[in-house]
Amino acid sequence: MSFTFRHMLGTEALSRDEITFLLNQSRAFQGIQKQPLKKLATLRGKSVVLAFFETSTRTRISFGTAAARLGADTMNLQAESSSTQKGESLMDTVRTLEAMKPDVIVIRHAASGAPHFVADRLGIPVINAGDGVHEHPSQGLLDALTISDRLGRLDGLDVTIVGDIRHSRVARSNIHVLTKFGCRITLSGPAMWLPPELAQIAPSIRLQPRLEDALDRAHVVMVLRVQTERLQEPALPADEYIRLYQMTPARLGLARPEAVLMHPGPMIRGLEIDPAVADSPQSCVLEQVTNGVAVRMALLYLLTGGAPGSGATG
Ligand code: CP
């Protein structure tokens, strides 16, 4: 199939075939991460804007690494040291960046829909690197690639996602990817963090506040970051969250023996995850990071006009 997208704003609109295509393109770039010389000239002469209006370690550095390994230049905006601090609007900021003639803009913003707003108004491709509580499409794709690598398939898996589902763009992007492969998704966490509308996305999604009942038969256990500021007395003190939802070796033991443990990062060890689980052989947290570079190389390559199938050889 040919790649017809102008932007990458979310996984909701992607078909199963399109996701499969993107994962196959990413696989072509996985091999490059293992080479002693990792740099291609595929996007030589192209420029990638990294416009991060919200903090990031993995996504920002991963997109920057992906651009560098394709031979592209990067233009970095970090909101805390930019003129957004002087009151410049989002649109004036991104139009200023566009005037420097980049080929693609990667944007992270705390407001859900900000990348869509920008995409409607700029003349270059836009990649959503995480918008509010909406989507984080490259994370959903790298998670699918990691699951597929570890388990040899995506089809028909039992996937348990644990934590603050309500505020998780990672959960949403994963749900939109995995349900297209017939995965059965169980969302577990405090009832106030389990939005019933998410269960409407597909009949294979269920909400299960009791974590022990959510882990049975899981092939994939995905633990989400908990924002400590959301853990407050009296609604949900941190010690109560830890007691009910921390992923411990005993809880992971309720899943299938071959289950993979995932976390998008940043991890708060001792809060949502026991360090023994984070560092266990079942954990693929660092594989997720490695695969993120390959997925982002594929996205940058395809959205800047690369010819499908030739990316990893250029
Ligand atoms: N997974 C993820 O989005 O991490 P960062 O916030 O560090 O980019």
Side-chain angles (χ1 to χ4, degrees), residues 55-59 108 136 139 264-265:
T55 57
S56 170
T57 295
R58 276 145 290 273
T59 313
R108 168 171 289 192
H136 192 348
Q139 181 75 44

Side-chain angles (χ1 to χ4, degrees), residues 19-149:
I19 295 166
T20 301
F21 172 78
L22 289 170
L23 296 182
N24 285 337
Q25 288 288 304
S26 302
R27 283 189 186 96
F29 289 109
Q30 277 180 308
I32 290 160
Q33 318 306 318
K34 298 174 188 147
Q35 301 296 323
L37 297 176
K38 300 178 178 62
K39 192 150 178 153
L40 304 174
T42 317
L43 296 189
R44 189 168 54 197
K46 304 268 186 184
S47 302
V48 177
V49 167
L50 305 177
F52 279 67
F53 296 88
E54 204 190 56
T55 57
S56 170
T57 295
R58 276 145 290 273
T59 313
R60 186 172 59 80
I61 295 177
S62 182
F63 269 112
T65 303
R69 289 189 178 162
L70 289 166
D73 298 317
T74 50
M75 300 151 65
N76 273 282
L77 176 129
Q78 284 178 271
E80 63 273 17
S81 57
S82 76
S83 289
T84 58
Q85 297 298 320
K86 300 172 187 165
E88 190 168 42
S89 72
L90 170 64
M91 273 321 298
D92 281 335
T93 301
V94 294
R95 282 204 175 105
T96 298
L97 295 168
E98 186 187 34
M100 298 180 207
K101 307 300 178 193
D103 298 283
V104 58
I105 180 167
V106 180
I107 180 168
R108 168 171 289 192
H109 202 283
S112 302
H116 307 67
F117 183 80
V118 168
D120 285 345
R121 289 161 177 80
L122 292 192
I124 56 173
V126 175
I127 299 178
N128 178 5
D131 64 321
V133 299
H134 177 231
E135 278 228 39
H136 192 348
S138 60
Q139 181 75 44
L141 292 167
L142 75 88
D143 287 342
L145 186 62
T146 305
I147 294 168
S148 171
D149 280 357

